[in-house]
């Protein structure tokens, strides 16, 4: 705990070690047998002295109210703590901070059930106490963790929860960072540096829940799906794991009743298992899960209701899970969903907004999905870490395909401890997201330093481990090292590359983009004979800055730079192996303070407050045109601005010639 405790472990030999596996962690849902309570709200907050990050642990601050040892301030949960106050010292704090709050649990929860405490995510490392008793420790931001707290709670009385959160990033954390001591006026400052290009927001980022389960309960559910008979028949393969035994029933005698309901709530299939708790449901006239604009009814979800019974038919537990029925397949030249080739048109994104930082915010989430659909995108990459479970549920519902990325970014200085944690990040991510139909690919890293000597075996281990956990989805990584130096792409199924032609190279040279993009994509394909995606391209753009002829940082330049890329993509698309274009970035976002960033990274097509820049209208026309060309989608009524009746000769009719 604390940067003082996490030492750099460097070794010359990296080996493939066993990684501990996640268990449980179903998203908390109410049912006939389960209750859920939120602990979101205003907590008490205090930051440690940067030079003494473990003081609170040594002095056992968790044994009593934080307010008794320090002056606390109010802090919202979920939210990053950085931008809530007006103080540099909190925004730029390095090391540990403390949160606590009081809560009640009803007396009725005391009997015949278990109570669980679940965090959607705390960045980066968390230690949790209830009523002074240590409950759980978790390292790795952006991923959930939970613990049973049945015996730690006082029922019908007041309880206290205390959380220690440490944001320090070092060479063995995922992502990596460095901590140094630098002289400051009147002393020494602890300075956190990192090479990745987003602000290291920290705190209790997602919701905190208490939930109940019966003593014997459904601990895990895993589904995979298939389509047969020309996509007319669907199959859901499901299996469940239970935890606990009932006093009079042996675990192996329990069984499941499974009911499948369609979108309208009507039962379309039923199944009963044996004690192996697994089975397959067949759905005739199935509605497959289709991406947005690929089908008139995208994001179709069934509801799987799982009833756990004892052998003598006593109902023990009920859990409901949304399921999308779809297939994924890929080969050297294409990526297919339900047997149809997919061309990705989307964005790299960030979980980022004013004030709340990386904190979950339903208003923002809903606005973002409205914008994604407005602009006609069908996908995004969760650059550069797992996004909230709530956002994954949105993606399922709206038919937005997700390239699901783990928190490994700018990976370098490969070492054993890093590899173990990187694999654990993939394991936790896959465990969390494996049932989401929207997840169509795993991204094991962003811009790793894959020219380095150890990169070959390191990424072989990470990629093979990922494939061993889930063989139903392809594995990619967003690579920025030139194909001539890279040692990792050969271990991937699909190659993604990031490149900033016209920006980081040849800034302002609008005529040095198209050919370079074509050449680089072709070179990656030639070298590996695998599908290729351009996973990042873009230009920083100050909203409201217009310059003619176009000039770097202006809205005009972003628009022209995109257009030059579109031309390259259209030439590449004719080769079926080029399967997607992802703009960097969906919206402007905050970064560490540097002289190359004016209030953050401005490569958004939308501003940080989610309003369109000029290029958004161009992108919208292209993304819908691609949807029309490939999947015959309809154009929205307001896609075209009336200019003159000469530009729309067939009055009322809108087709691709209108573009
Ligand atoms: C990249 C990174 C991304 C940065 C982007 C930029 O290559 O993957 O995290 O934000 O470049 O704008 O510099």
């Amino acid at each position: 705990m604390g940067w003082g405790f996490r030492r750099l472990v460097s070794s010359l030999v990296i080996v493939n070690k066993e990684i501990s596996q996640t268990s449980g962690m179903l998203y908390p849902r109410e049912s006939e047998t389960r209750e859920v309570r939120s602990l979101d709200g205003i907590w008490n907050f205090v930051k440690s002295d940067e030079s003494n990050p473990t003081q609170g642990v040594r002095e056992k601050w968790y044994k009593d109210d934080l307010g008794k040892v320090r002056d606390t301030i109010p802090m919202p949960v979920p939210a990053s703590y950085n931008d809530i106050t007006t103080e540099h010292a909190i925004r730029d704090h390095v090391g540990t901070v403390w949160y606590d709050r009081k809560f009640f649990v009803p007396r009725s929860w005391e009997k015949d059930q278990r109570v669980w405490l679940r965090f959607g995510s705390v960045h980066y490392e968390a230690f949790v106490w209830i009523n002074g008793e240590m409950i759980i420790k978790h390292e790795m931001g952006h991923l959930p963790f939970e613990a049973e707290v049945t015996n730690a709670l006082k029922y019908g009385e007041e309880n206290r929860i205390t959380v220690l959160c440490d944001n320090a990033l070092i060479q063995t954390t995922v992502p990596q960072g460095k901590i140094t001591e630098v002289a400051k006026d009147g002393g020494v400052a602890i300075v956190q540096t990192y090479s990745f290009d987003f602000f290291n927001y920290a705190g209790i980022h997602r919701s905190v829940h208490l939930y109940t389960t019966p003593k014997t309960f459904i601990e895990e559910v895993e589904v995979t799906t298939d389509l047969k008979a020309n996509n007319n028949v669907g199959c859901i393969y499901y299996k469940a794991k239970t935890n606990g035994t009932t006093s009079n029933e042996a675990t192996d005698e329990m069984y499941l009743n499974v009911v499948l309901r369609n979108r309208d709530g009507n039962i379309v299939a039923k199944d009963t298992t044996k004690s192996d708790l697994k089975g397959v449901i067949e759905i005739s006239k199935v509605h497959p899960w289709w991406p947005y604009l690929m089908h008139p009814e995208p994001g179709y979800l069934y509801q799987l209701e799982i009833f756990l019974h004892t052998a003598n038919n006593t109902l023990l537990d009920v859990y409901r899970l949304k399921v999308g029925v779809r297939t994924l397949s890929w080969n050297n030249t294409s990526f297919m969903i339900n047997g149809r080739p997919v061309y990705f048109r989307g964005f790299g994104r960030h979980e980022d907004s004013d004030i709340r930082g990386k904190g979950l915010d339903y208003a923002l989430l809903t606005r973002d999905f409205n914008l994604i659909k407005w602009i006609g995108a069908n996908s995004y990459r969760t650059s550069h870490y797992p996004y909230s479970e709530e956002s994954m549920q949105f993606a399922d519902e709206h038919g937005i395909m997700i390239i699901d990325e783990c928190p490994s970014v700018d990976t370098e200085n490969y070492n054993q401890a890093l590899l173990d944690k990187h694999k654990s990040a993939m394991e936790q991510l896959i465990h969390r997201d494996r049932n989401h139909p929207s997840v169509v690919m795993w991204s094991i890293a962003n811009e790793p330093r894959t020219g380095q000597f150890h990169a070959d075996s390191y990424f072989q281990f990470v990629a093979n481990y990922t494939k061993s956990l889930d063989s139903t989805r392809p594995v990619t990584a967003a690579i920025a090292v030139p194909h001539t130096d890279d040692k990792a792409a050969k271990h991937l199924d699909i190659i993604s590359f990031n490149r900033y032609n016209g920006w980081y190279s040849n800034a302002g040279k609008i005529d040095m983009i198209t050919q370079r993009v074509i050449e680089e994509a072709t070179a990656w394909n030639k070298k590996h004979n695998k599908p290729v995606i351009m996973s990042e391209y873009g230009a920083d753009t100050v909203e409201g800055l217009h310059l003619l002829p176009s000039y770097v940082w202006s809205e005009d330049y972003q628009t022209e730079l995109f257009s030059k890329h579109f031309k390259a993509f259209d030439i590449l698309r004719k080769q079926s192996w080029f399967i997607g274009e992802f703009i960097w970035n969906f919206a402007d976002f905050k970064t560490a303070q540097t002289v190359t960033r004016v209030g953050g990274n401005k490569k958004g097509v939308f501003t940080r407050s989610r309003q369109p820049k000029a290029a958004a209208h161009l992108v919208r026309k292209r993304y819908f045109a691609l949807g029309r060309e490939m999947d015959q989608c309809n154009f929205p009524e307001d896609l075209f601005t009336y200019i003159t009746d000469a530009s729309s000769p067939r009055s009322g009719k809108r087709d691709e010639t209108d573009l």
Side-chain angles (χ1 to χ4, degrees):
M1 168 235 322
W3 52 270
F5 285 78
R6 293 197 302 252
R7 294 234 161 75
L8 166 65
V9 185
S10 63
S11 68
L12 291 174
V13 182
I14 298 175
V15 293
N16 205 16
K17 288 193 186 163
E18 286 285 308
I19 296 298
S20 67
Q21 304 284 303
T22 312
S23 60
M25 219 75 83
L26 284 174
Y27 189 78
R29 287 186 199 290
E30 289 180 329
S31 77
E32 294 83 332
T33 56
R34 294 168 174 240
E35 284 182 64
V36 180
R37 281 205 169 188
S38 166
L39 291 184
D40 293 354
I42 299 291
W43 292 46
N44 308 304
F45 176 91
V46 65
K47 71 173 188 60
S48 310
D49 298 335
E50 283 187 349
S51 57
N52 200 357
T54 55
Q55 178 187 17
V57 177
R58 290 195 316 276
E59 295 177 4
K60 300 191 171 49
W61 290 0
Y62 49 84
K63 286 286 182 197
D64 208 336
D65 299 354
L66 285 174
K68 294 200 179 138
V69 287
R70 280 282 194 278
D71 287 338
T72 61
I73 56 168
M75 190 56 71
V77 170
S80 303
Y81 59 73
N82 309 79
D83 290 349
I84 301 294
T85 76
T86 54
E87 289 177 38
H88 284 103
I90 289 184
R91 186 193 60 202
D92 302 329
H93 179 67
V94 182
T96 55
V97 299
W98 292 79
Y99 290 76
D100 81 359
R101 68 161 283 172
K102 299 285 183 58
F103 62 97
F104 279 87
V105 281
R107 262 188 240 292
S108 61
W109 279 21
E110 195 167 8
K111 287 215 179 78
D112 295 332
Q113 58 185 349
R114 301 170 188 247
V115 186
W116 299 81
L117 172 67
R118 190 183 195 276
F119 287 79
S121 81
V122 177
H123 186 77
Y124 168 80
E125 189 172 21
F127 292 73
V128 182
W129 294 262
I130 286 194
N131 300 324
E133 184 192 327
M134 176 77 192
I135 296 294
I136 190 170
K137 158 186 182 323
H138 180 260
E139 178 183 342
M140 195 88 66
H142 321 287
L143 287 161
F145 55 95
E146 67 179 8
E148 185 176 355
V149 291
T150 317
N151 298 326
L153 292 171
K154 294 187 270 184
Y155 296 87
E157 284 179 56
E158 197 173 57
N159 293 271
R160 183 184 56 250
I161 178 170
T162 313
V163 176
L164 172 63
C165 161
D166 185 358
N167 69 356
L169 301 178
I170 57 171
Q171 289 296 287
T172 52
T173 54
V174 180
Q176 292 164 294
K178 285 190 182 127
I179 292 198
T180 47
E181 294 188 351
V182 180
K184 68 173 181 184
D185 296 344
V188 172
I190 309 295
V191 177
Q192 169 80 73
T193 55
Y194 40 87
S195 61
F196 57 82
D197 184 40
F198 52 93
F199 192 85
N200 187 36
Y201 277 117
I204 305 179
H205 278 160
R206 298 182 191 145
S207 291
V208 186
H209 287 114
L210 282 173
Y211 71 95
T212 67
T213 64
K215 287 261 184 260
T216 303
F217 66 101
I218 302 163
E219 189 183 35
E220 286 179 22
V221 182
E222 190 177 348
V223 296
T224 51
T225 62
D226 201 2
L227 289 164
K228 298 191 296 203
N230 211 9
N231 289 351
N232 285 310
V233 176
C235 299
I236 300 176
Y237 299 89
Y238 64 91
K239 61 178 180 206
K241 239 167 87 179
T242 56
N243 187 341
T245 52
T246 50
S247 48
N248 53 355
E249 296 292 335
T251 323
D252 62 0
E253 285 173 8
M254 290 184 282
Y255 71 94
L256 301 176
N257 264 337
V258 174
V259 171
L260 190 75
R261 291 181 188 273
N262 65 14
R263 223 180 217 182
D264 304 323
N266 300 322
I267 296 177
V268 292
K270 286 185 177 179
D271 196 32
T272 302
T273 70
K274 302 213 170 64
S275 59
D276 59 1
L277 307 181
K278 63 183 187 187
V280 51
I281 292 183
E282 261 203 21
I283 316 152
S284 53
K285 296 204 200 107
V286 68
H287 293 273
W289 187 93
W290 286 104
Y292 176 55
L293 299 184
M294 206 165 170
H295 189 270
E297 220 179 342
Y300 194 100
L301 297 176
Y302 291 88
Q303 178 154 277
L304 191 66
E305 299 182 336
I306 303 166
F307 299 85
L308 175 67
H309 290 276
T310 62
N312 63 3
N313 304 329
T314 307
L315 178 66
L316 291 173
D317 193 14
V318 186
Y319 190 81
R320 293 180 173 79
L321 181 79
K322 295 271 177 78
V323 180
V325 183
R326 55 118 181 89
T327 62
L328 299 178
S329 50
W330 61 96
N331 55 31
N332 293 345
T333 52
S334 58
F335 172 82
M336 279 165 291
I337 193 157
N338 307 335
R340 265 165 62 186
V342 167
Y343 185 76
F344 294 96
R345 44 179 200 275
F347 296 95
R349 298 187 57 203
H350 268 298
E351 283 188 330
D352 171 277
S353 75
D354 207 13
I355 302 171
R356 59 209 37 78
K358 292 203 181 304
L360 172 69
D361 177 346
Y362 283 111
L364 183 77
L365 193 59
T366 312
R367 171 77 178 174
D368 281 356
F369 271 85
N370 287 335
L371 293 176
I372 288 166
K373 291 173 76 176
W374 174 84
I375 210 163
N378 64 6
S379 50
Y380 63 82
R381 176 168 60 116
T382 67
S383 41
H384 299 307
Y385 39 80
Y387 291 3
S388 69
E389 291 159 278
E390 293 77 7
S391 75
M392 306 308 286
Q393 292 159 12
F394 260 70
D396 291 344
E397 298 273 352
H398 293 280
I400 301 301
M401 293 178 285
I402 303 294
I403 299 180
D404 209 359
E405 190 158 280
C406 84
S408 173
V409 43
D410 292 6
T411 326
E412 59 181 355
N413 291 335
Y414 301 105
N415 61 70
Q416 186 69 49
L418 186 73
L419 173 65
D420 297 346
K421 276 184 214 165
H422 196 155
K423 283 165 58 189
S424 170
M426 285 312 307
E427 192 279 331
Q428 292 181 55
L429 177 62
I430 292 171
H431 188 92
R432 190 194 78 161
D433 286 352
R434 60 190 172 182
N435 292 333
H436 288 287
S438 55
V439 176
V440 299
M441 215 180 286
W442 303 114
S443 170
I444 58 176
N446 179 72
E447 299 199 357
R449 312 303 189 218
T450 55
Q452 290 181 7
F453 175 68
H454 277 314
D456 192 341
S457 51
Y458 184 96
F459 280 99
Q460 182 175 19
F461 291 145
V462 180
N464 288 351
Y465 182 63
T466 305
K467 291 177 198 181
S468 76
L469 294 173
D470 181 10
S471 59
T472 69
R473 296 172 174 95
V475 171
T476 193
I479 297 180
V481 166
H483 72 278
T484 41
D485 300 343
D486 165 76
K487 297 180 174 40
K490 59 172 178 274
H491 304 301
L492 308 173
D493 298 311
I494 290 172
I495 295 169
S496 304
F497 74 100
N498 298 347
R499 193 67 64 216
Y500 287 85
N501 289 296
W503 191 255
Y504 293 125
S505 58
N506 305 314
K509 303 285 194 304
I510 222 72
D511 54 355
M512 295 184 190
I513 295 174
T514 309
Q515 196 52 35
R516 283 171 170 77
V517 171
I518 295 169
E519 279 166 13
E520 181 163 15
T522 308
W524 280 111
N525 173 260
K526 274 227 164 78
K527 184 166 176 196
H528 297 286
N529 189 26
K530 288 177 184 169
V532 175
I533 288 173
M534 187 159 198
S535 41
E536 286 185 24
Y537 67 97
D540 282 272
T541 305
V542 175
E543 61 188 283
L545 179 64
H546 286 277
L547 294 165
L548 187 67
S550 73
Y551 190 90
V552 286
W553 291 89
S554 67
E555 298 208 23
D556 315 81
Y557 188 73
Q558 186 184 39
T559 304
E560 279 186 36
L561 178 138
F562 282 178
S563 164
K564 295 291 179 185
H565 281 82
F566 297 163
K567 196 162 178 197
F569 299 150
D570 281 350
I571 291 165
L572 288 165
R573 283 196 300 123
K574 299 204 169 76
Q575 330 261 351
S576 65
W577 51 261
F578 189 77
I579 61 164
E581 52 187 83
F582 288 81
I583 293 167
W584 189 258
N585 188 286
F586 174 73
D588 293 348
F589 58 91
K590 184 153 170 166
T591 61
Q593 300 187 63
T594 78
V595 291
T596 54
R597 296 283 179 257
V598 186
N601 187 307
K602 299 283 182 197
K603 294 195 185 68
V605 164
F606 297 98
T607 63
R608 203 175 188 215
S609 54
R610 274 46 179 192
Q611 298 300 338
K613 296 182 190 168
H617 297 279
L618 177 80
V619 173
R620 186 173 185 231
K621 290 196 169 86
R622 174 170 177 83
Y623 280 5
F624 273 101
L626 290 173
R628 173 78 149 231
E629 181 191 320
M630 284 165 211
D631 302 308
Q632 297 77 49
C633 77
N634 291 326
F635 285 152
E637 272 302 306
D638 64 350
L639 189 62
F640 304 96
T641 311
Y642 180 89
I643 302 168
T644 105
D645 57 5
S647 71
S648 182
R650 298 161 312 285
S651 63
K653 189 170 175 232
R654 300 197 181 278
D655 60 25
E656 59 273 25
T657 59
D658 283 317
L659 289 165

